[in-house]
Amino acid sequence: MDQQPPIPPSDLKLLGSWADSHTHRVQLALKLKGLPFQYQEEDPLRPSAALLIHNPVYKNLPVLLHRGCPVLHSIIILHFLDDTWPHHRSLLPSDPFDRATARFWSHFADDKLAPAVAAVFSSEGDGQKAAVDQVHQNLKLLELELGDGGAFGGRRFFGGDEIGFLDIVLGCGSYWLAVFEEVMEVKLVDPEAFPRFHAWLRDFEDQREVKETIPAIDKLLEYARTVRQMMLGGGATAAAGDNAASN
């Protein structure tokens, strides 16, 4: 197999935010594929001139610049990385059906699970109870797929023996579950109710590249508590919840 030449760090530049799970997706994918990159920290509430120039439509993060050309939306960026550097550890499986399955459940993560998790953080009372129930229903579906007869049964990770596309999409964001459990005093991931998902998440979080990417839990807790207090005072939008939703 032909080897591609080394990638100069100047070829790839990521605009992101330290608490943004979608930024973490791209950071983790770049590390897993061994692609060097520059990083520019952005304030999502105060977009820089560079962000507005490169993403004038949505004005959000992350943005990956490849030789100055912007690639937008975390899922699209992951596909771009696999398409552009196929010899640098493929994130998606080679089998077409397995690729389609990973894409479907990635859409599920962004379309179903993430909004429910964000709703737990941004709601109270009966609304929050309904959001917690929705999270549980979504996790139950993933638990079934990790079991015998499921699409991912018998695997260490959704991607097999190594972290893959779906692991990145689900894992970069699932750490908010533990944060919201403590801040909101709710139970989202019960090890007895979701043993396979719980074991997968612990294994995912224990990987070296993940530890290098995800901020420390204390820092995330402080951030979430600050945002929650501002929300209760009417001074902010659900920024922490938005970081668990899709882009």
Side-chain angles (χ1 to χ4, degrees):
M1 182 180 292
D2 295 336
Q3 294 296 316
Q4 293 183 337
I7 309 299
S10 58
D11 275 9
L12 290 169
K13 183 175 183 178
L14 176 62
L15 309 184
S17 174
W18 73 270
D20 176 37
S21 59
H22 314 108
T23 295
H24 300 154
R25 290 176 178 179
V26 181
Q27 289 175 314
L28 179 56
L30 288 165
K31 290 178 181 179
L32 290 173
K33 292 180 77 70
L35 299 173
F37 65 98
Q38 297 177 325
Y39 178 74
Q40 179 174 313
E41 178 68 19
E42 293 277 344
D43 183 346
L45 300 179
R46 300 175 182 82
S48 69
L51 176 57
L52 295 176
I53 289 172
H54 293 299
N55 190 1
V57 178
Y58 290 103
K59 304 178 179 64
N60 58 13
L61 301 166
V63 174
L64 181 69
L65 301 178
H66 179 223
R67 297 175 181 173
C69 298
V71 185
L72 312 174
H73 194 288
S74 62
I75 294 291
I76 294 174
I77 293 172
L78 297 190
H79 283 296
F80 172 80
L81 294 177
D82 247 9
D83 291 341
T84 308
W85 292 281
H87 302 314
H88 289 71
R89 182 176 171 176
S90 180
L91 303 176
L92 280 164
S94 58
D95 180 80
F97 180 78
D98 289 341
R99 292 167 74 92
T101 302
R103 286 170 174 147
F104 170 82
W105 287 103
S106 295
H107 178 71
F108 167 85
D110 281 349
D111 186 57
K112 296 289 188 180
L113 180 58
V117 174
V120 171
F121 185 78
S122 61
S123 59
E124 297 180 285
D126 291 341
Q128 186 178 86
K129 291 180 181 178
V132 170
D133 182 66
Q134 189 61 55
V135 170
H136 290 164
Q137 293 302 316
N138 290 328
L139 292 181
K140 186 180 297 183
L141 294 173
L142 290 172
E143 184 72 17
L144 289 172
E145 294 300 325
L146 286 167
D148 296 337
F152 311 103
R155 300 184 185 183
R156 179 183 179 187
F157 297 107
F158 288 98
D161 294 330
E162 296 181 321
I163 291 175
F165 188 94
L166 181 54
D167 296 282
I168 294 172
V169 173
L170 273 172
C172 292
S174 290
Y175 52 82
W176 284 112
L177 294 168
V179 173
F180 292 171
E181 280 184 336
E182 183 161 340
V183 174
M184 308 305 295
E185 298 182 348
V186 296
K187 192 64 179 176
L188 297 176
V189 185
D190 187 338
E192 295 185 2
F194 311 110
R196 297 184 186 92
F197 181 85
H198 182 269
W200 162 79
L201 183 55
R202 297 288 82 79
D203 199 0
F204 173 84
E205 293 176 338
D206 199 42
Q207 301 307 298
R208 175 179 58 83
E209 296 88 350
V210 175
K211 289 181 177 179
E212 294 173 353
T213 301
I214 307 303
I217 187 68
D218 290 346
K219 190 175 181 181
L220 292 172
L221 282 168
E222 180 182 2
Y223 172 77
R225 289 189 177 112
T226 299
V227 172
R228 179 65 178 173
Q229 289 174 357
M230 294 175 66
M231 287 172 57
L232 293 176
T237 59
D242 289 343
N243 284 326
S246 66
N247 177 33

